[in-house]
Amino acid sequence: MLDYDKEAERYDESRGGEPRAAAAAHAVLSLVPPRARRLLDVGCGTGIVTRRIAAGREGLRVTGVDLVPAMARRATARLPGAVALADSRRLPFADGEFDAVTSVWLLHLAGAAENTRAIVGECARVLRPGGVYVTTVDKGASHNVGSDIDAVLAARPPSTAHDAARLVEAHAREHGLLPAGGARFTGHGQGRSPRRTVADLRRGWFVTLPPGEPLAEEFAARLAALPDQDRPRPDPVFTLAAFRKPWGRGGNPAAPGGD
């Protein structure tokens, strides 16, 4: 598992930078109700996507939250006064405080089913009736673009996808949220080259191939034998799923965020 405190310094440039962030924010906003006024971005990281969400919708007040101090510091520089340091399993906000809640590239890092369930539960709790929760799903699968790199990596030990769409939907339904559509966007600049994949492998990117282990070095050797070592393969395409919190009896669908 990567150390995201150390990763913060190179996080943006190693993951597509502003073009990827712009695509993510545009897709997220396509699923956020037009009249939403308060949005919480859970696991906001460096704030590169969060800032674009805030800039992309006039009148939308955006708050970010992240667990990693180095990430939160960078996000705070982009959104002064609007970022909190907190665990996404225990959000420091009141019930129903937000018209929309987002979590981009977060659930795949949960580490266990109970953590994913807790995160989704907290996002549902702070979401007001009529509001929408938007999250990425199936992140690991998105990186499989059918390349020669993917053919090599297909033989690695499997890992559990805690952000699998069917599991996330089950957690959402458990907490009273109903499916409300989805969107897809391109991860610009994230197309893997063999050399970059070897470097990622050796710094802990692949959880079932711990750096320094003989098996990890075996895969590194296979990747190093591929042609065009510095040619990026196609960019991944990521998937967003949206879930709506139903109105209770006597609810007012005309209120902000109820579109």
Side-chain angles (χ1 to χ4, degrees):
M1 177 70 103
L2 296 177
D3 182 332
Y4 281 89
D5 252 321
K6 294 180 180 177
E7 194 74 6
E9 186 175 346
R10 65 188 304 275
Y11 186 88
D12 294 340
E13 67 180 58
S14 67
R15 289 168 174 79
E18 295 292 350
R20 184 184 80 141
H26 179 77
V28 166
L29 285 171
S30 75
L31 298 170
V32 172
R35 296 179 63 192
R37 291 296 173 264
R38 295 202 65 192
L39 181 146
L40 175 66
D41 189 22
V42 181
C44 67
T46 66
I48 191 170
V49 176
T50 320
R51 176 180 63 182
R52 284 184 171 273
I53 291 173
R57 178 77 62 84
E58 187 176 354
L60 184 64
R61 179 182 170 190
V62 178
T63 301
V65 61
D66 203 273
L67 177 64
V68 180
M71 290 286 198
R73 282 195 296 272
R74 289 176 178 272
T76 298
R78 286 174 162 140
L79 291 158
V83 177
L85 185 66
D87 190 325
S88 54
R89 296 169 298 180
R90 293 181 292 277
L91 294 172
F93 304 105
D95 295 359
E97 192 168 337
F98 297 94
D99 301 318
V101 179
T102 60
S103 61
V104 181
W105 301 305
L106 171 66
L107 297 183
H108 70 289
L109 299 173
E114 57 267 27
N115 291 336
T116 310
R117 185 181 296 110
I119 293 168
V120 173
E122 278 294 273
C123 291
R125 180 184 65 78
V126 302
L127 186 65
R128 70 162 189 81
V132 170
Y133 171 47
V134 180
T135 185
T136 43
V137 294
D138 295 322
K139 182 180 184 292
S142 299
H143 282 281
N144 188 339
V145 297
S147 71
D148 52 351
I149 295 172
D150 297 316
V152 170
L153 294 175
R156 74 187 189 273
S159 60
T160 301
H162 295 294
D163 69 335
R166 61 179 181 81
L167 296 178
V168 175
E169 181 177 336
H171 297 322
R173 287 183 181 277
E174 180 184 342
H175 292 286
L177 304 181
L178 300 178
R184 304 185 80 200
F185 64 94
T186 300
H188 298 291
Q190 282 206 290
R192 291 170 170 156
S193 69
R195 199 182 311 278
R196 173 177 165 180
T197 305
V198 170
D200 286 340
L201 187 157
R202 287 177 169 156
R203 66 192 183 89
W205 187 287
F206 301 101
V207 295
T208 61
L209 294 172
E213 293 288 328
L215 185 59
E217 288 307 309
E218 222 179 274
F219 275 87
R222 292 184 207 173
L223 292 164
L226 294 177
D228 303 316
Q229 280 287 299
D230 294 309
R231 176 177 61 83
R233 278 42 171 180
D235 289 328
V237 176
F238 297 109
T239 300
L240 289 168
F243 303 92
R244 184 176 295 275
K245 190 171 190 175
W247 290 95
R249 183 173 298 177
N252 177 14
D259 296 23

